[in-house]
Amino acid sequence: MSTPIKEKGLSRLDFLKASGALVIAFSLPLTLKAGSAKAAGHGAFPPVNPAEMDAWLAIGPDGMVTLFTGKVELGGGVLTGFAQIVAEELDVPFSSMAVVSGDTLLTPNQGFTAGSSTISGAGPLFRQVAADARYAMLQHAAAHMGVPAASLTVKAGVVSVKGNPAKSISYADLVGGKPFAALLPIKSSGFGGIQVGGKGVPKKPSQYTTVGQPLPRIDIPDKVTGKFAFVQDVRIPGMLHGRVIRPSGIGSQLISFGAPPKGVRVLREHNFLGVVAENEWDAVQAAQNLPVKWSSWKGLPAMADLYSAIRSDASTYSVVASGGNVSTALGAAKTTLQASYTTPIETHGSIGPSCAVAEIKDGVATVWSGTQDPSFLRANVADLLGLAMDNVRVICVEASGCYGRNGADPAAIDAVIMARLAGRPVRVQWMRWDEHGWDPKSPATVHDLVGGVDAKGQISAWQHEAWIPAQFSTNIIGGTLVGHPLGMGSNGGFDGPMIYNFPSFSQIQHGEGNLFSNTPESVGIISAWMRSPGQFQVNFAMESFVDELASAAGADPVEFRLRHLTDWRLIALLKAVAKAANWQPRTSPQAHALTGKAGIATGRGVAISNRGGTLNAQVSEVEVNRATGEIQVTRVFAGQDNGLTINPRAVKLHMEGAITQTVSRTLLEEVTFDQSNITSTDWSTYPILTFSGAPVIETLLIDRPELPATGVGEPSVNPVAPSIANAVFDAVGVRIRQLPMRSDRVKAAIQQALQAASANKS
């Protein structure tokens, strides 16, 4: 764990020395010691200067190469990917790579690890940094051996003269503790990233021997054997255990509380209430049993009114994309359809509840958290405490998977508040009802679609109007409760250009602020990103409606999509997935789908997507129980084209995890609430997919090493829900337009369709 570094008061330079790493370049004096940063006018934790090569790389006397990154591991293997990129460009064995990540004292600020932008955004940076480092090493080796740099080559971290391998020197021996003045030119880029450009020339993809290989992830062995330390495992001297006592209603005010049991201390600031104890179980019991009185609050709409409330609460309106004249095209269409789709509020449902540890001492704060963005959390902690940024250190310690922005930062703010009030370090462990009830939620959305098909069976008009609340509100719950709102605002929704070539189309988005309210007194249901925010919901509606139009045109769903595509990569991917799935062209639904024999009906559906340049196509196969409405997704054929693939094994596993979780979201997951609070606060009221419900997933990767790498964490999410909905339609002839596709909804839809069919006959 990172604790010993903090306890010893080590600076970044001390850390490098203690670890045996010899840095490639310094602009600070080699004599810098712990505490000297303050003397130089800096805070306790001065920021890392990204203009220095040693901000990114270090080489130890044993030849180990340490990569420093502000990005963090969220379970997808990005740190392994980074290590492969650097090992490739430096020509060192992958086994000699080590990674330090997500520590604001030791690593540069690289912004959020989110948006499937980690490899695509930071990968080129590390490729260039490593190429620059290799260039610097060759120049130094040339001077050391008295030969031209062009006459040298590198293999396994050893520089030698071409044709004379006996004349050689290793990186470790070459550095020898001597600093280089090899500063890197930098410039800021979007999303908190950094771009670099030096004299090193990265390899061509045809030269790769490490990148593109299915190497095992560097973090898995310790996780399998139990050696890995998660944030829940962090312990520091003098630490108290804390639990937060939540309001009875989201906007309730604290009126009074009773006396705690012996050994427990109550901490209160404004509407924030918590308990701390030396023993964790004492804190758990006290939080559950302390007499507390809250004011009544009923500020949420009735759950049945959720979607009408979203429609009526729009604060912005924008035309995201448009072309042609939709009204004219609809008027001339042979067939027109319209449909509305809805998606629910969802919780992140992290299996391990969030946890954080905070220490505030002598005007300096240190926080251990499973955050996705240590620098963002650092800024919020500094804001809350009124400290300079340089007096706050955030150490990211891996937590349970977040799938978007879960309770990690709110738990960290809870810990900071309690550490300030207690005057001692505090570890805050959320309980299950904290995670389900109080983590920020993925907001519900509404979609209205209108389409027209001409006499040739082509879509001639398309309009998609969506109501999508903000994907991240301006409130972190702890800050709001103490009267100090923290956070940032952001929206998600339509992502990128239209993937289809429709002659007339429009995409219209309404965006709200917070889901229902957004004031310090009444925070509403706080919203946050969840895997592929906005686009997951948009794609469910869009690809389902494309299928509706295909059925109306009497066309095969795959062929219908192909006739409207112009992107050669997406065309190739869809054809490859259809072939892998042994797709047999025909119209959907199947004959007698609605009125077929009782029992289990089977069907298959297709959907495609483009998120940030990563292309996906999926065919889902389902079984539908006609009597109960229960859906079993039996198999998913999933294809992806993400340009250059750094590690195909990691990508396939990432796809499998994302698809499995999204099957759960599609079939089961929905937050319930009354007018005061969330009511789905455990696994019974918010069920998720179990092992018996998981489908067989067959992945197909199209590697294009000549193209830049694009993201893989979120894109495979987007075709899941519509491909399942289309498969259900194919199986039983009913269109499910509301997520999740719970068995009771499917059963009711089948019965309603049968009644309508019977009435038409009569």
Side-chain angles (χ1 to χ4, degrees):
M1 289 183 290
S2 302
T3 308
I5 300 172
K6 173 66 176 65
E7 291 174 346
K8 294 177 182 178
L10 297 179
S11 69
R12 187 174 194 272
L13 178 58
D14 294 325
F15 169 79
L16 295 178
K17 287 182 176 180
S19 68
L22 303 177
V23 298
I24 294 175
F26 290 104
S27 63
L28 297 175
L30 287 172
T31 56
L32 180 65
K33 301 294 182 182
S36 63
K38 286 186 178 180
H42 297 288
F45 308 123
V48 175
N49 182 0
E52 301 168 4
M53 194 177 289
D54 66 287
W56 309 101
L57 292 175
I59 299 178
D62 57 356
M64 288 294 295
V65 177
T66 301
L67 167 65
F68 297 91
T69 174
K71 299 293 186 180
V72 299
E73 181 61 71
L74 302 177
V78 295
L79 300 187
T80 300
F82 287 158
Q84 286 182 254
I85 291 170
V86 171
E88 185 70 71
E89 295 298 335
L90 273 178
D91 281 313
V92 298
F94 178 72
S95 59
S96 68
M97 290 298 305
V99 182
V100 174
S101 72
D103 184 330
T104 59
L105 174 64
L106 304 176
T107 62
N109 176 8
Q110 291 183 275
F112 284 101
T113 303
S116 296
S117 65
T118 306
I119 290 294
S120 61
L125 179 150
F126 290 127
R127 183 174 292 111
Q128 184 63 54
V129 166
D132 289 342
R134 185 181 187 276
Y135 174 86
M137 299 295 281
L138 286 173
Q139 297 301 312
H140 191 56
H144 179 82
M145 292 191 280
V147 298
S151 68
L152 299 177
T153 186
V154 184
K155 184 177 182 180
V158 176
V159 183
S160 61
V161 176
K162 295 176 183 177
N164 187 9
K167 192 172 184 179
S168 63
I169 185 170
S170 69
Y171 281 168
D173 291 337
L174 183 63
V175 174
K178 300 174 183 177
F180 284 74
L183 297 184
L184 300 175
I186 67 161
K187 61 179 179 179
S188 296
S189 66
F191 206 53
I194 296 171
Q195 295 176 341
V196 301
K199 295 182 179 180
V201 178
K203 292 180 179 179
K204 296 179 180 179
S206 60
Q207 298 173 298
Y208 290 163
T209 58
T210 302
V211 167
Q213 298 302 309
L215 301 179
R217 275 173 43 182
I218 58 178
D219 56 323
I220 294 300
D222 283 355
K223 289 178 177 177
V224 172
T225 59
K227 296 179 182 179
F228 192 87
F230 290 92
V231 67
Q232 288 85 354
D233 301 314
V234 173
R235 301 290 187 276
I236 63 174
M239 182 187 79
L240 296 172
H241 292 275
R243 290 295 187 276
V244 180
I245 300 173
R246 304 296 178 185
S248 59
I250 287 175
S252 295
Q253 305 293 299
L254 178 59
I255 297 175
S256 64
F257 57 89
K262 184 178 180 180
V264 176
R265 180 180 170 189
V266 177
L267 304 176
R268 187 261 177 100
E269 181 176 346
H270 195 44
N271 285 317
F272 183 95
L273 186 66
V275 294
V276 291
E278 299 281 352
N279 182 280
E280 186 174 10
W281 183 242
D282 290 342
V284 171
Q285 291 292 97
Q288 294 181 17
N289 299 314
L290 187 75
V292 183
K293 185 176 181 180
W294 300 92
S295 66
S296 176
W297 184 87
K298 296 182 182 298
L300 299 180
M303 189 170 172
D305 298 331
L306 170 63
Y307 299 113
S308 59
I310 290 175
R311 286 182 184 274
S312 64
D313 193 35
S315 58
T316 64
Y317 171 95
S318 62
V319 177
V320 178
S322 64
N325 189 311
V326 174
S327 297
T328 300
L330 282 173
K334 178 182 178 182
T335 304
T336 60
L337 291 178
Q338 59 183 14
S340 295
Y341 289 80
T342 58
T343 67
I345 303 171
E346 298 173 89
T347 200
H348 292 82
S350 299
I351 300 296
S354 298
C355 179
V357 179
E359 180 182 36
I360 306 170
K361 185 176 182 181
D362 300 327
V364 173
T366 305
V367 180
W368 291 261
S369 171
T371 178
Q372 288 177 256
D373 187 350
S375 295
F376 170 75
L377 178 57
R378 184 191 198 193
N380 271 326
V381 172
D383 182 7
L384 179 66
L385 298 178
L387 296 175
M389 288 269 285
D390 287 8
N391 284 332
V392 177
R393 179 185 182 185
V394 173
I395 303 168
C396 182
V397 187
E398 196 171 339
S400 180
C402 56
Y403 323 119
R405 204 159 183 82
N406 65 352
D409 284 40
I413 294 300
D414 287 347
V416 170
I417 293 170
M418 297 180 83
R420 178 176 64 181
L421 295 174
R424 287 176 60 179
V426 175
R427 173 185 179 271
V428 171
Q429 170 71 66
W430 277 19
M431 305 296 282
R432 174 49 52 195
W433 48 86
D434 287 305
E435 194 73 40
H436 271 40
W438 295 91
D439 85 321
K441 309 301 180 190
S442 174
T445 69
V446 178
H447 306 261
D448 288 347
L449 294 103
V450 182
V453 178
D454 63 20
K456 296 180 180 180
Q458 298 283 119
I459 295 178
S460 56
W462 175 277
Q463 180 172 294
H464 185 165
E465 187 171 8
W467 287 259
I468 304 177
Q471 298 293 306
F472 197 65
S473 74
T474 56
N475 287 312
I476 293 177
I477 182 63
T480 300
L481 292 174
V482 299
H484 194 131
L486 301 166
M488 57 179 266
S490 177
N491 270 47
F494 294 99
D495 183 66
M498 282 285 291
I499 60 177
Y500 293 108
N501 183 30
F502 300 150
S504 296
F505 68 94
S506 65
Q507 293 175 323
I508 302 167
Q509 181 165 327
H510 303 263
E512 291 83 37
N514 207 25
L515 192 54
F516 297 117
S517 54
N518 191 22
T519 68
E521 293 76 27
S522 173
V523 298
I525 297 178
I526 297 176
S527 57
W529 303 308
M530 191 165 170
R531 231 170 190 162
S532 198
Q535 195 183 2
F536 164 72
Q537 292 85 351
V538 165
N539 214 68
F540 164 60
M542 181 182 76
E543 281 295 284
S544 295
F545 195 59
V546 167
D547 234 55
E548 292 201 50
L549 293 173
S551 182
D556 171 74
V558 170
E559 190 277 329
F560 190 71
R561 284 169 171 79
L562 289 172
R563 72 173 71 161
H564 293 95
L565 291 174
T566 57
D567 185 331
W568 66 271
R569 290 171 60 198
L570 193 49
I571 291 171
L573 179 65
L574 177 55
K575 288 181 176 179
V577 170
K579 181 179 180 180
N582 192 27
W583 184 273
Q584 301 299 314
R586 60 171 172 79
T587 59
S588 185
Q590 300 177 64
H592 309 297
L594 178 62
T595 58
K597 294 181 180 179
I600 304 298
T602 62
R604 81 289 192 263
V606 63
I608 61 176
S609 67
N610 177 350
R611 178 172 176 81
T614 296
L615 311 178
N616 290 86
Q618 292 175 15
V619 171
S620 290
E621 296 179 351
V622 303
E623 294 179 349
V624 183
N625 188 312
R626 294 182 185 275
T628 66
E630 183 179 359
I631 299 170
Q632 173 77 43
V633 182
T634 55
R635 188 176 300 270
V636 177
F637 297 89
Q640 182 165 288
D641 178 345
N642 50 258
L644 169 67
T645 297
I646 306 299
N647 187 318
R649 176 180 180 179
V651 171
K652 288 184 176 183
L653 291 174
H654 216 148
M655 290 173 65
E656 291 177 5
I659 291 168
T660 300
Q661 188 210 9
T662 312
V663 170
S664 180
R665 294 172 68 182
T666 300
L667 300 184
L668 299 170
E669 299 186 32
E670 180 176 23
V671 167
T672 59
F673 56 91
D674 56 26
Q675 291 191 270
S676 296
N677 219 327
I678 301 296
T679 56
S680 49
T681 56
D682 55 31
W683 295 119
S684 296
T685 51
Y686 191 90
I688 61 174
L689 199 70
T690 61
F691 285 109
S692 62
V696 173
I697 300 173
E698 299 189 17
T699 56
L700 170 67
L701 290 182
I702 297 181
D703 185 28
R704 300 195 186 278
E706 73 282 3
L707 299 177
T710 51
V712 303
E714 297 175 298
S716 58
V717 162
N718 294 309
V720 175
S723 67
I724 293 173
N726 297 338
V728 171
F729 176 71
D730 185 54
V732 293
V734 297
R735 177 63 61 180
I736 309 299
R737 300 187 180 96
Q738 179 179 1
L739 294 183
M741 300 178 199
R742 294 192 321 239
S743 58
D744 59 328
R745 286 178 180 153
V746 178
K747 179 180 178 180
I750 292 173
Q751 291 175 341
Q752 184 177 6
L754 286 171
Q755 290 171 0
S758 177
N760 288 336
K761 285 183 179 181
S762 62

